[in-house]
Amino acid sequence: DGREQMEKLVLRIFCDGNVVEIFANDRFAMSFMVYPDERDCTGLSCFGGSATSSFDRVNVWELSKIMLD
């Protein structure tokens, strides 16, 4: 009928060392390198302009190392 409809955004985010990969709704992907200021930086934060957002669900898994430092 030509009306716009909002789609739920599903993000899958993978962090492996300095590499971050983001997959959105299985249609968009991006990856980039991050360089934290502190060696023990382990936080995750999200922000988004002036709009109000909420999370239905957040799952976190710790990955096992496959290579030695």
Side-chain angles (χ1 to χ4, degrees):
D1 61 4
R3 290 184 291 178
E4 287 188 14
Q5 184 175 350
M6 295 297 288
E7 176 182 10
K8 182 183 281 190
L9 177 60
V10 177
L11 295 176
R12 291 183 295 131
I13 303 171
F14 298 90
C15 302
D16 185 13
N18 288 24
V19 177
V20 177
E21 297 175 297
I22 300 175
F23 299 87
N25 290 0
D26 293 326
R27 292 193 308 269
F28 174 82
M30 69 181 293
S31 62
F32 51 92
M33 300 287 291
V34 294
Y35 301 97
D37 293 338
E38 301 293 329
R39 188 98 169 111
D40 61 350
C41 181
T42 59
L44 173 69
S45 63
C46 298
F47 64 92
S50 60
T52 300
S53 301
S54 64
F55 294 98
D56 285 342
R57 182 178 69 222
V58 175
N59 297 322
V60 177
W61 295 273
E62 186 172 346
L63 301 176
S64 299
K65 287 188 175 190
I66 60 170
M67 297 182 72
L68 299 176
D69 290 332

